[in-house]
Amino acid sequence: MFMSKHVTAPALAVDVRELLRSPGAHRHVVVRAPLDDLATPVASVPPDRPVTVDAEIESVVEGLLVSGTVRATAVVGCVRCLRDLDHELEVEVRELFALEPGDDEDEGYAVLPDDRLPLDTMARDALVLAFPAFPLCRPDCAGLCPVCGADRNAMDCGHGGTEDIDPRWAGLADLRTTLPEGFGEPQRGAPINKEDDDARPQA
Ligand SMILES: [Zn+2]
Ligand SMILES: [Zn+2]
C-alpha cells in the first residue's frame, strides 16, 4: 500500500489487548499526535501539527476493523500564485488490521507484537491521498503575472488583459504584437485612436 514502508515507532498507537480477548467488542478511540513524512510536492502536514484519528475499533474474526475519520490541517501551495494556505482535511477511513503481520502488503496494517494497534500508516495513507491535486487559494485566484511575476491578486502591474484572451487565439495575439505598428487596423472598420487619424479617410 501507498507509503506503507514506514514502520518506525508508531505515534498513533492504541492498546487493544482487551479487544483482542473479546471478539465482537468495540471501542471508540481518539488519538492525536504529529506524524513525520507527511509531504508531497503540492502539500504537507508539517511535523508540528497533530493528526487526529477518531475511530471505532471493532474486534472481528479476521482482525480489528477500524472505521472513523482522520483529520489534520495541511499546508498547500496555490498552483496559480504559489501562496501557502491552510487546508483542512477530514478523511473517512475503514481498514481491517490483521492480527499478525503478513506479507509486505500488510506492513503498517497489523497488530503489533505488544498488542498495540498502530494507526500511523492508515492515517498517513488517508491524508496523502486526500491532498488536493490542484489547490487554489480561491476559485478566481488571478495568479502571478507571466511578464513581471507580480501577484495579480494584490496589485495591477499593468500587464493585465492576457487572461481575457481565449487560449485558442493566444497565438494570434502574439502574432499581432510582432506585426508592424498599424498593420491590419484599417480593415477593422472601427475608429482608430492614433495620431495620424486625420490623415486617413474615416471608415
Ligand atoms: Zn492563489
Ligand atoms: Zn506584470
Side-chain angles (χ1 to χ4, degrees):
M1 228 179 183
F2 195 59
M3 286 182 75
S4 61
K5 287 293 171 194
H6 199 98
V7 286
T8 52
L12 296 169
V14 179
D15 188 329
V16 290
R17 193 159 305 169
E18 291 305 316
L19 280 174
L20 294 173
R21 285 182 188 146
S22 40
H26 51 89
R27 184 179 150 204
H28 185 229
V29 297
V30 179
V31 281
R32 189 173 162 86
L35 293 180
D36 54 10
D37 277 4
L38 256 173
T40 72
V42 292
S44 67
V45 177
D48 60 332
R49 294 189 180 183
V51 171
T52 303
V53 177
D54 185 328
E56 194 76 14
I57 304 175
E58 193 182 348
S59 185
V60 297
V61 175
E62 301 90 346
L64 294 175
L65 184 63
V66 177
S67 40
T69 57
V70 179
R71 291 193 303 273
T73 304
V75 178
V76 303
C78 174
V79 292
R80 287 192 195 146
C81 72
L82 310 181
R83 184 186 325 203
D84 279 346
L85 46 134
D86 283 357
H87 184 86
E88 301 294 334
L89 293 170
E90 180 163 340
V91 194
E92 300 262 337
V93 287
R94 189 173 170 83
E95 295 288 347
L96 181 68
F97 285 70
L99 296 179
E100 285 168 20
D103 50 23
D104 283 354
E105 284 280 295
D106 293 332
E107 213 169 342
Y109 289 90
V111 179
L112 298 172
D114 62 1
D115 289 346
R116 285 187 309 153
L117 190 64
L119 300 175
D120 299 38
T121 302
M122 179 193 74
R124 201 178 269 114
D125 289 352
L127 291 172
V128 169
L129 288 174
F131 281 168
F134 193 77
L136 288 173
C137 61
R138 56 178 211 234
D140 62 344
C141 171
L144 302 179
C145 171
V147 178
C148 71
D151 183 349
R152 287 168 152 177
N153 300 300
M155 61 178 289
D156 179 3
C157 60
H159 299 121
T162 51
E163 70 272 20
D164 295 332
I165 295 175
D166 187 307
R168 289 170 295 179
W169 307 119
L172 203 59
D174 289 344
L175 181 68
R176 216 179 114 73
T177 59
T178 60
L179 291 173
E181 188 81 4
F183 182 91
E185 286 186 0
Q187 281 82 36
R188 291 164 72 200
I192 299 159
N193 187 20
K194 282 202 171 292
E195 284 167 19
D196 60 352
D197 265 0
D198 293 343
R200 298 185 185 179
Q202 291 299 313

